[in-house]
């Protein structure tokens, strides 16, 4: 912690800083010196009371940090009472210089000009009447004090202006930075939309071709080939579903109707039976088991859970080898959803077990987006396992 930070730290309800205490002591020293030398006709005797009253005059300077206008007014009132009740011939300059500076910095410029003008005018009149000095002598006597008070006000106003300029500059820089970030985000969104359109055009053509070819094969398929017919039906339905999902996703991107978290709304575990049937028809039988009380999930968690299952079962088809079987276990806990996908295949994904492939990385990122986690790796007895835990809190949804 720097020394400047220590000096500027406010304490208590009055916001008194260590620096304010130091400034008060300096003003007190100047005022007491003025009290000690301020004799003259009609002046009160220099005694303990005179020094005590001089110390009281300085007390408002302690709150200069939080109440600069009160500081100036209180010092002025106390000084006026001091002149009226038990005065010594002291100048207002040692006491009012700091309050005038603080008031000018805080923007109370009118009060900072009116108050010293009043004191100097009254002082000129009283001293002129009491000493019968001429205008020139009075001007020479009062001019240094007037200059000092004017400089205190001018310095405070300059500091206020510079602070205002610095704040305005910082605000402009902040706005410019936000505009640059918004422009960059807009360009990224446009590029993503362009990529999505290109991907849609490419994949949609391929999926449409696959759908048509599967339908044609079904028409020419002979009787007694139920296994092949089931596979072709699964291929056709999967292709149709992919086309529908891609078009819906691209439509959401074009219309800019993403949800508040920037994710396009999608279905969830309600699509798991269809996914099971498609993977089973493709050659990897899937068994689904549920533990706990099955209940609706927050939308984002529901979507992430489905995507993890989709990617895991796809990996079973791609990497587990022929005749592999998969088991899906959904465990509904009070505060979380547990997902476990295991297979009895003889191969593992061509990647680091804990997320070296794009699919496993994607699952990990999706789970992390809702506060969950994913682990994956080969089983000791053979096969592969993907395990995920997704919190069911409102924040996750």
């Amino acid at each position: 912690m720097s020394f400047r930070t220590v000096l500027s730290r406010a304490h208590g309800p009055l916001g008194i800083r260590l620096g304010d205490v130091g400034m008060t002591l300096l003003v007190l020293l100047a005022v007491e010196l003025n009290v000690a030398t301020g004799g003259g006709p009609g002046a009160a005797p220099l005694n303990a009371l005179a020094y005590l009253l001089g110390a009281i005059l300085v007390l408002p300077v302690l709150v200069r940090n939080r109440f600069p206008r009160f500081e100036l007014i209180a010092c002025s009132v106390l000084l006026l009472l001091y002149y009226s009740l038990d005065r010594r011939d002291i100048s207002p300059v040692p006491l009012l210089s700091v309050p005038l500076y603080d008031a000018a910095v805080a923007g109370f410029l009118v009060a900072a000009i009116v108050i010293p003008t009043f004191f100097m005018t009254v002082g000129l009149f009283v001293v002129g009447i009491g000493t019968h000095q001429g205008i020139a002598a009075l001007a020479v006597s009062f001019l240094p004090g007037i200059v000092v008070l004017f400089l205190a006000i001018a310095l405070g106003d300059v500091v206020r202006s510079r602070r205002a300029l610095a704040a305005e500059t910082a605000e402009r820089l902040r706005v410019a930075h936000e505009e640059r970030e918004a422009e960059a985000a807009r360009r990224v969104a446009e590029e993503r939309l362009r990529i999505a359109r290109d991907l849609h055009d490419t994949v949609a053509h391929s999926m449409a071709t696959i759908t048509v070819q599967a339908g044609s094969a079904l028409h020419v398929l002979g009787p007694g080939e139920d296994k092949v017919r089931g596979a072709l039906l699964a291929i056709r339905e999967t292709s149709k579903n992919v086309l529908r999902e891609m078009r819906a996703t691209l439509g959401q991107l074009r219309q800019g109707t993403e949800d508040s978290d920037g994710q396009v709304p999608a279905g969830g575990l309600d699509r798991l039976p269809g996914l099971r049937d498609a993977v089973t028809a493709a050659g990897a039988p899937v068994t689904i088991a549920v533990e706990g009380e099955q209940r609706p999930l927050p939308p984002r968690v529901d979507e992430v859970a489905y995507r993890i299952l989709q990617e895991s079962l796809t990996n079973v088809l791609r990497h587990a080898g022929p005749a592999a079987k998969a088991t899906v276990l959904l465990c509904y806990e009070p505060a979380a959803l547990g997902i476990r996908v295991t297979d009895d295949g003889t191969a593992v994904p061509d990647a680091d077990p804990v997320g070296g492939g794009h699919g496993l990385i994607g699952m990990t990122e999706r789970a992390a987006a809702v506060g969950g986690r994913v682990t994956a790796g080969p089983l000791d007895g053979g096969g592969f396992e993907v395990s995920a835990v997704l919190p069911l809190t409102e924040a996750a949804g």
Side-chain angles (χ1 to χ4, degrees), residues 2 21 64 145 193 289 300 317 360:
S2 66
V21 175
R64 59 191 295 262
L193 181 58
R300 290 186 64 200
L317 288 175
L360 296 179

Side-chain angles (χ1 to χ4, degrees), residues 340-364:
R340 185 183 178 193
V341 181
T342 58
D343 66 72
D344 57 0
T346 57
V348 297
D350 301 326
D352 183 85
V354 192
H358 291 298
L360 296 179
I361 291 175
M363 287 190 286
T364 301

Side-chain angles (χ1 to χ4, degrees), residues 31-356:
V31 170
E32 295 294 12
L33 288 174
N34 206 201
V35 169
T37 59
L46 181 60
N47 52 25
L49 179 61
Y51 286 113
L52 176 62
L53 293 176
I56 293 174
L57 295 177
V58 181
L59 290 178
V61 180
L62 287 171
V63 297
R64 59 191 295 262
N65 172 45
R66 188 162 295 178
F67 307 106
R69 182 164 56 179
F70 170 80
E71 172 201 10
L72 175 59
I73 294 174
C75 285
S76 302
V77 171
L78 290 174
L79 184 60
L80 187 61
L81 292 174
Y82 180 81
Y83 283 145
S84 303
L85 301 177
D86 189 16
R87 73 175 181 86
R88 288 181 62 80
D89 294 332
I90 66 172
S91 169
V93 174
L95 176 64
L96 296 184
S97 295
V98 172
L100 288 173
Y101 167 82
D102 293 335
V105 169
F108 305 117
L109 198 57
V110 174
I113 293 175
V114 170
I115 288 176
T117 301
F118 167 77
F119 275 101
M120 287 302 177
T121 301
V122 172
L124 283 168
F125 178 77
V126 172
V127 173
I129 293 296
T131 62
H132 303 287
Q133 296 183 35
I135 298 292
L138 289 174
V140 170
S141 176
F142 276 78
L143 184 58
I146 294 175
V147 170
V148 171
L149 294 179
F150 171 79
L151 289 177
I153 297 170
L155 180 60
D157 190 54
V158 168
V159 171
R160 181 194 62 80
S161 300
R162 289 180 64 85
R163 288 180 181 176
L165 179 61
E168 182 181 357
T169 302
E171 177 65 16
R172 288 181 178 179
L173 290 174
R174 184 189 64 81
V175 171
H177 178 68
E178 290 180 353
E179 290 177 351
R180 286 195 300 270
E181 287 188 340
E183 177 64 17
R186 183 187 65 80
R187 291 181 180 179
V188 169
E190 290 179 352
E191 181 64 15
R192 286 178 175 174
L193 181 58
R194 183 192 66 79
I195 295 173
R197 284 196 298 263
D198 293 345
L199 182 63
H200 171 269
D201 294 341
T202 302
V203 178
H205 173 74
S206 301
M207 289 293 102
T209 302
I210 293 172
T211 302
V212 172
Q213 294 293 338
S216 299
L218 284 171
H219 284 296
V220 300
L221 195 64
E225 301 185 32
D226 293 339
K227 187 174 182 179
V228 177
R229 186 182 303 276
L232 290 173
L233 286 171
I235 292 172
R236 187 176 67 177
E237 290 304 314
T238 301
S239 302
K240 288 181 179 179
N241 290 336
V242 169
L243 282 173
R244 282 196 296 267
E245 187 172 334
M246 286 185 61
R247 287 166 181 162
T249 301
L250 185 61
Q252 294 285 355
L253 289 174
R254 281 173 172 163
Q255 298 169 14
T257 56
E258 298 178 348
D259 65 15
S260 60
D261 296 300
Q263 296 195 7
V264 178
L269 293 181
D270 58 308
R271 294 185 289 173
L272 182 56
L275 177 63
R276 174 198 58 197
D277 295 342
V279 175
T280 299
V286 178
T287 303
I288 298 177
V290 178
E291 292 183 356
E293 182 181 355
Q294 193 169 358
R295 58 190 185 276
L297 304 176
R300 290 186 64 200
V301 175
D302 201 18
E303 165 67 7
V304 168
Y306 175 77
R307 293 302 183 188
I308 290 175
L309 290 170
Q310 185 183 48
E311 182 62 33
S312 300
L313 294 177
T314 300
N315 283 339
V316 172
L317 288 175
R318 293 176 57 197
H319 303 291
K325 298 179 181 179
T327 301
V328 174
L329 175 63
L330 300 178
C331 183
Y332 287 84
E333 300 175 359
L337 171 68
I339 299 174
R340 185 183 178 193
V341 181
T342 58
D343 66 72
D344 57 0
T346 57
V348 297
D350 301 326
D352 183 85
V354 192

